[in-house]
Structures are given as structure tokens and as C-alpha cells.
Amino acid sequence: MIKKLFVFLICLMISNVIESSSSSSDTPTVSPVTIIVNPNLSNKYQPGECGNQTVTCNNLIDAMESFMKVATLIPGFPNKQYSMYQQLNLLLTDGIYDFDSNSISLFNMNVTMTTLTDNSNSVIFSGGSSSLTSPLFSISNGKVVDTGLTPTYIQINGIQFQINQTLLNVNTVSSFTDFKINNCQFINYNNQLASMVTINQGAPAQLPLENNAIYFTNSTFKLISTGYSTPLMSFKNTIVKISNIDVSNGVLGNFINASYCSVNVEYSNFNGISTSGGLFVGFDSTISVFMDTFIGNNAVSSYAGGSIINMESDTINRYYFEIIFSTFVNNSAAGNGGIVSAINNVQTASETQISYIVNSTFTGSSSYSPYGGVAYLINIPLTIDTSTFGNSTSNIDGSIFYVINSNVIVTNSTFIYGDLPSPSPPTLKLNRGSAVDLDTNHAFYAFESNVTFQSTNMYKVSIDCIQSVVIVNTVDPGIVGPNDVQCTRCLLTVGINQPPYCNPQTTSSSTTSSSSTSSPSTSSTSTTPTTSSTSTTSTTSTTSKTSTTSTTSTTSKTSTTSTTSTTSKTSTNSSTSSPSTSSTSSSSLTSSTSSTTKTASSSSSSSSSSSTTSGTGTSSSGSGGGGHISFVVASSSSTSSTSSTSSVFENSTFGLFVIISIIISLMI
């Protein structure tokens, strides 16, 4: 027995040695390569023999040649074709780096490009003709559709770009690119023919997951121009993260034009940017704005509204927009929707993915087209909480919101009349536009929609209700009167403890039953207002295009009123087709608080005393997440950690040797 145990231990030791040897041979250890570039010298050297402190490279092209002469290609695991070169650190001496039509290929590279002197502001990339469409940096294997999952990691720090040619062009589909730009300046970019950054514009269609990520942090954009026909940056199948940037004085097609992307913009300022169709344009994309300021931006095309967000989708239950803790001052659009234009083109089902406006302020928003001074929504569920709207205009109707086939819930918010003149006699219309018939312009226009206002100051607000259900529970029930509403085949109640202002059908009995159509096709709505001597009032509103919707209103003659409200939503890849909505407020509301939390899961709730919004971000919008505050961060690395051996395979190899050892010991 002792002999067998001894043999087993010997075999076990041998297996460990073999396994360790195999692991080390599959995972070569390589050190980063550092190359110094100095454009102020004219050093003499053979190709590929520069970059040290004695003989620095004269330009970036020579530096890349020197790196490729010594670079080691680290094999990927488990498939060795998923490989990447060892890390290259390019240290740039202060000076002007001139560029011509040559592109520098960074495909399959792991490069960090930064200033040799810490916090330098004097490394300047200059040149490039505005007639050039070739990029300064190219990430492509020469094919529109690549077959390998080849990674590329690029990080650029502290560079001032004064170029007129495309900065970056990525043309990969299967491979992954992670591109980071930090503490850089982009000044006087002027190219009417090409975007400054393009990613996957040649990709044939949407991918299951975004395969690229680009980050701009702590950077500035000044005096930039691509004309109204060309976006500054165009992305497809990409995670886009913008953080702490300042953008001012530009004429662009769009700042970002995205398809099948997740776009997140936070802690940034956009001032005086004129676009043809909005700063952030998305098709089948999610757009999130957090802690941003937008002042004096405008969209000039009458065919595309939304000076800030202009999004369109052909898919339900997946994409949404968010505006959180942001400020908007004097922004306008020639098209419908002064700030936001959001349209879901799906006609067969209602969208259940909720969009959000939370803790934000809108002043001086305007649409020079007929509808939507702040927002123009079609088939877009929206929750608004703790936000302020004032002095918004549109030409015909919906000087604040114009909604069609949408569910909208407004809580703890304020709508301010401002200093606009009132007609005589006053009809309390809010912020009329410049239409000839001023009485037709209402603050809210709702068509085939369900709108609920809770704990909201609606002083001098007017509502145009057409084939909709609108419930207004204001803080002060006396501030909105019958002259402020216009109804066409809809149910509209205004004020706590107030009877319906408009009701499609009424009877003389104490219980009146009526029905109206609240959605275009398959949806039916039943309404039952009831008057009793109880001390509570409960209001529940649920709507869906594919299910029966009911609205119940109970009115009390006493002074104690409470309403309970919850918003719940489930959205998966086979998501439900109807959201459920209920609302909660208190007539004695005196204050409200709100908080925003970025966590790995999301919920949204509001009450008369508090409102909370929490969100989730994943590396892909393809996961069909809910209506959340999304801060998407792709996993990435600027170091050469590319070929570590999989622990699964290591354990399998080790286990095999253990089994062999046991068998040998038992046979002895």
C-alpha cells in the first residue's frame, strides 16, 4: 500500500511539472516596447532602427516600422488566430507632427500614444487636406467582413489635433476595437467630404453584439465644421461613451450619427452647435444624456426635428432615450420636436420600452414646425419626473409635448407660463406659437395616448385630448379650469376631487359608464367615474394596444385624498406587449426629493415625497434591457494581457494526469 501511495505521489508531481511547462510555453511573457518620437530632429537611421533615447524616431511612420521589426505576436487562446501584438508605448516629444495622405495602420495593435512630458499641451498633430478622405489612423484588415476575432486596443492622451482629414476609420465586423481618446483637443476641423471618425460604416447589417467601443473623455471640440450634409462622427454596431467634454461653435450634419449603437453622453457641455438634424441621431439605438448642459443649439432641417436627440426605430421593446439631471436653454429645431424627436415605426404593436426625463430643466425650447416645442413622440412610452418646463413654443399645437400612440406619466414636475402675453379674455393656453389661430396651440397634444399628471404644478396649462385618456391630478386643483381643455372623443379629468371635464358618453345616474377608443386598432378602453362619500380617491390607468385597457376614477367629497401609483415594465427578447401604469400622489405634497443611482440593475419608482431612478448598463444593447439610465462601459485593456491560458483547459489537463496517476498506482 505504501508503495502504491509513493508511486501515486511521484506521478502527481510529474503531472504538475508537465502542466506548468505546457502553460508557460503557451503563454509567452513579453515586455512592452517603448519608442520615443521627436519631430524636431532629423536623425539619420536605417529603416526600423530608431526610437531609443539616443536615436529618436522623426515621425510616427518610422516609429511603427521600428516596432514591427521587433514586435512579438502573442497568440490568442483558445484559438491562436485571435492574436495581438505586444504593447507599444509611443512617447511624443513636444512639437508639430505633420501628416500627409499616408494612413497609419493600427489593426491588431495594442498602442498607447501619449506626451513625453507630463501634462504637456504642445504635441500638435497638424495638416491633412480637406479634400482627403483617407484617415490618419486605420484599423482594418482590408476586408469589409473579416473572419477572425482580432482585437485592437488604442489609447491616445494629451494630443492637440489640428487636422482636416479623417482621424480614424475602423472597418471590421468580427474583430473587436477599443479606442480611447483622453485629454485631447480638436480645433478647426474642416472637412465637408468626410467625417472625423467612422466605425463600421461598411458593415452589412446589425450584429448580435456591438463589436467596437470608443471613448472620448476630458476633451474639447472647437470651431468644427463638416457642413450640414456630413456628421462629425458616424458609428455602427458600436458602444459610444462621451464624458466630460466641451463642444462649441460648430456647423455639422450631426455630432454623432449612430446605427445599432449605445450612445452615452455625461458631464458635458454643448454650446452654439448648428446641425441639420440634431446633435445625436440614432437608428435602432439607445441614447442617454446625463448631467449635461445644452445652450443655443439648433437643427436647421425641417425634415428632421430634435435639436439634441433625433431617434427612429424599426424594432420594439429594445431602444429608448434618457435625459437625466440635464439643462436645456434656448435650443430649437426647424422640424417637429424642439429638443427630442423620437419615432417608433412599428405599426403592429405598442412599444413598451420606457424612455425617461428626470430632474431636468427646459427653458426656451422651440419647434418652428407645427408640433412639439420640447418633444415629438410617436409610439414612445415616456416617464417624466421632477423636471421643469418653461417658455416652449411650436407653430400649431403641442407647445411642450406632442404625443401620438404613447403612454406618458408626469410626476413632481412644474410647467411655467412665463411672460408670454395672454389673449383677451384669457383662456390659459400655455406658450402659444406663432400660428394665426393662437387658440389651437395647446401645451399638451395627445392623440390615441394615455397621459397621467401626478403631483405636478400645471399653472396655465392647456391640453388637447383626441381619442385619449388624460388624467390631471394637480397640486392645486383650482389652477386649471374648463377653458383649458379641448376634447374630441376622449376622457379627461382635471384636478383632484373634480368631475371629468370631458366624457364621451354620460348619463344622469350617479354611476356613469362610457367607452371610447384609446388606441388605433385592437385596443378598447372602458371608463367608469363614480362619486361616493368615501374619504379616498384612487385612480388606476392601464393601457395597451394589444389588451383591454381600463380606467377607474373614484371621487370623494372629503378633504383627504390619496392616489397610489406604480410603474412596472418587463422587457425581454420576447417581451410583453403592454406596460402597466398606476399613479400616486398626495394633495398635501410640500416637497420632493430625487436620486439617481448607477447600478447593475434598474428600477424606477415615484411617490409624493420621493422619486428614485436607477439604471443599468451592459456592453450591448442587444440584450434587450429595460428603460434604464445606461452607462455602458466595455471591458477593455491598454496592456498586453492577451494570451493567458484558460483555467478550464488547465484544470482538464491536470485532472487527466491525476486520473492516469491513480490508474498506474492501482495497477502496481
Side-chain angles (χ1 to χ4, degrees), residues 372-423:
V374 172
Y376 177 85
L377 310 176
I378 299 180
N379 197 14
I380 301 291
L382 175 65
T383 293
I384 302 172
D385 183 68
T386 322
S387 295
T388 301
F389 302 84
N391 298 331
S392 300
T393 63
S394 63
N395 273 350
I396 294 181
D397 213 344
S399 62
I400 299 179
F401 285 95
Y402 189 97
V403 299
I404 299 175
N405 191 29
S406 301
N407 298 325
V408 179
I409 299 175
V410 183
T411 58
N412 305 315
S413 296
T414 299
F415 299 90
I416 302 173
Y417 180 75
D419 298 326
L420 295 180
S422 298

Side-chain angles (χ1 to χ4, degrees), residues 55-88:
V55 182
T56 59
C57 295
N58 298 330
N59 53 65
L60 288 179
I61 294 177
D62 290 350
M64 295 304 298
E65 288 181 355
S66 294
F67 172 69
M68 295 306 298
K69 189 172 182 178
V70 299
T72 300
L73 188 63
I74 304 173
F77 192 89
N79 193 326
K80 292 186 178 181
Q81 70 170 325
Y82 310 150
S83 57
M84 183 173 64
Y85 287 101
Q86 70 197 92
Q87 181 175 342
L88 168 62

Side-chain angles (χ1 to χ4, degrees), residues 336 367 369-373 375-376 393-402 429 433 435 437-446 462-466 486:
N336 293 323
S367 167
S369 281
Y371 310 120
Y376 177 85
T393 63
S394 63
N395 273 350
I396 294 181
D397 213 344
S399 62
I400 299 179
F401 285 95
Y402 189 97
K429 298 287 189 285
D437 184 2
L438 297 181
D439 287 341
T440 65
N441 195 334
H442 299 76
F444 291 90
Y445 173 94
S462 61
I463 300 168
D464 193 354
C465 176
I466 302 177
Q486 177 173 308

Side-chain angles (χ1 to χ4, degrees), residues 297-558:
N297 305 288
N298 70 296
V300 301
S301 173
S302 60
Y303 299 101
S307 62
I308 309 302
I309 296 176
N310 184 351
M311 59 185 296
E312 186 175 355
S313 179
D314 287 340
T315 305
I316 64 169
N317 308 330
R318 183 169 180 177
Y319 303 106
Y320 55 93
F321 73 87
E322 293 173 330
I323 297 174
I324 314 294
F325 285 106
S326 295
T327 300
F328 301 81
V329 179
N330 297 334
N331 300 283
S332 63
N336 293 323
I339 303 297
V340 177
S341 174
I343 301 173
N344 189 300
N345 294 317
V346 178
Q347 301 294 324
T348 57
S350 292
E351 174 66 79
T352 60
Q353 182 70 70
I354 300 175
S355 295
Y356 288 94
I357 296 177
V358 179
N359 282 95
S360 296
T361 301
F362 301 81
T363 303
S365 305
S366 59
S367 167
Y368 300 118
S369 281
Y371 310 120
V374 172
Y376 177 85
L377 310 176
I378 299 180
N379 197 14
I380 301 291
L382 175 65
T383 293
I384 302 172
D385 183 68
T386 322
S387 295
T388 301
F389 302 84
N391 298 331
S392 300
T393 63
S394 63
N395 273 350
I396 294 181
D397 213 344
S399 62
I400 299 179
F401 285 95
Y402 189 97
V403 299
I404 299 175
N405 191 29
S406 301
N407 298 325
V408 179
I409 299 175
V410 183
T411 58
N412 305 315
S413 296
T414 299
F415 299 90
I416 302 173
Y417 180 75
D419 298 326
L420 295 180
S422 298
S424 180
T427 57
L428 301 182
K429 298 287 189 285
L430 174 68
N431 300 339
R432 289 156 301 283
S434 58
V436 175
D437 184 2
L438 297 181
D439 287 341
T440 65
N441 195 334
H442 299 76
F444 291 90
Y445 173 94
F447 177 78
E448 295 184 339
S449 299
N450 294 268
V451 183
T452 300
F453 298 91
Q454 291 284 14
S455 304
T456 294
N457 186 343
M458 300 184 65
Y459 180 64
K460 294 186 177 181
V461 169
S462 61
I463 300 168
D464 193 354
C465 176
I466 302 177
Q467 294 180 222
S468 299
V469 176
V470 178
I471 300 173
V472 182
N473 290 329
T474 58
V475 176
D476 182 352
I479 61 177
V480 177
N483 291 331
D484 305 323
V485 299
Q486 177 173 308
C487 300
T488 305
R489 299 185 305 281
C490 75
L491 173 74
L492 189 147
T493 60
V494 178
I496 302 174
N497 296 332
Q498 300 297 314
Y501 280 9
C502 18
N503 204 337
Q505 296 178 4
T506 60
T507 64
S508 59
S509 62
S510 60
T511 301
T512 303
S513 178
S514 64
S515 63
S516 67
T517 301
S518 68
S519 59
S521 55
T522 60
S523 157
S524 64
T525 303
S526 64
T527 305
T528 308
T530 305
T531 303
S532 67
S533 61
T534 59
S535 62
T536 60
T537 298
S538 67
T539 303
T540 305
S541 174
T542 306
T543 185
S544 170
K545 291 183 68 177
T546 60
S547 63
T548 302
T549 303
S550 65
T551 303
T552 305
S553 173
T554 305
T555 307
S556 168
K557 297 181 180 179
T558 62

Side-chain angles (χ1 to χ4, degrees), residues 184-395:
C184 292
Q185 299 178 57
F186 299 88
I187 301 175
N188 293 321
Y189 181 82
N190 188 345
N191 192 329
Q192 312 293 311
L193 302 177
S195 299
M196 190 180 76
V197 178
T198 60
I199 295 182
N200 273 359
Q201 292 305 293
Q206 181 178 13
L207 299 177
L209 296 173
E210 295 100 333
N211 70 320
N212 294 284
I214 188 166
Y215 306 82
F216 287 87
T217 58
N218 305 313
S219 298
T220 59
F221 296 77
K222 295 180 180 179
L223 301 174
I224 48 179
S225 176
T226 59
Y228 287 125
S229 61
T230 304
L232 184 68
M233 294 183 278
S234 297
F235 305 114
K236 186 181 288 187
N237 297 310
T238 302
I239 298 168
V240 183
K241 179 68 177 289
I242 308 291
S243 181
N244 195 26
I245 71 168
D246 289 301
V247 185
S248 60
N249 300 323
V251 176
L252 309 169
N254 321 108
F255 186 75
I256 290 176
N257 190 297
S259 298
Y260 319 120
C261 296
S262 298
V263 179
N264 297 270
V265 183
E266 62 180 19
Y267 306 108
S268 299
N269 301 301
F270 293 82
N271 301 324
I273 307 299
S274 181
T275 64
S276 63
L279 286 173
F280 312 117
V281 173
F283 175 76
D284 277 357
S285 297
T286 294
I287 301 175
S288 296
V289 170
F290 179 82
M291 293 288 286
D292 299 312
T293 300
F294 301 88
I295 300 175
N297 305 288
N298 70 296
V300 301
S301 173
S302 60
Y303 299 101
S307 62
I308 309 302
I309 296 176
N310 184 351
M311 59 185 296
E312 186 175 355
S313 179
D314 287 340
T315 305
I316 64 169
N317 308 330
R318 183 169 180 177
Y319 303 106
Y320 55 93
F321 73 87
E322 293 173 330
I323 297 174
I324 314 294
F325 285 106
S326 295
T327 300
F328 301 81
V329 179
N330 297 334
N331 300 283
S332 63
N336 293 323
I339 303 297
V340 177
S341 174
I343 301 173
N344 189 300
N345 294 317
V346 178
Q347 301 294 324
T348 57
S350 292
E351 174 66 79
T352 60
Q353 182 70 70
I354 300 175
S355 295
Y356 288 94
I357 296 177
V358 179
N359 282 95
S360 296
T361 301
F362 301 81
T363 303
S365 305
S366 59
S367 167
Y368 300 118
S369 281
Y371 310 120
V374 172
Y376 177 85
L377 310 176
I378 299 180
N379 197 14
I380 301 291
L382 175 65
T383 293
I384 302 172
D385 183 68
T386 322
S387 295
T388 301
F389 302 84
N391 298 331
S392 300
T393 63
S394 63
N395 273 350

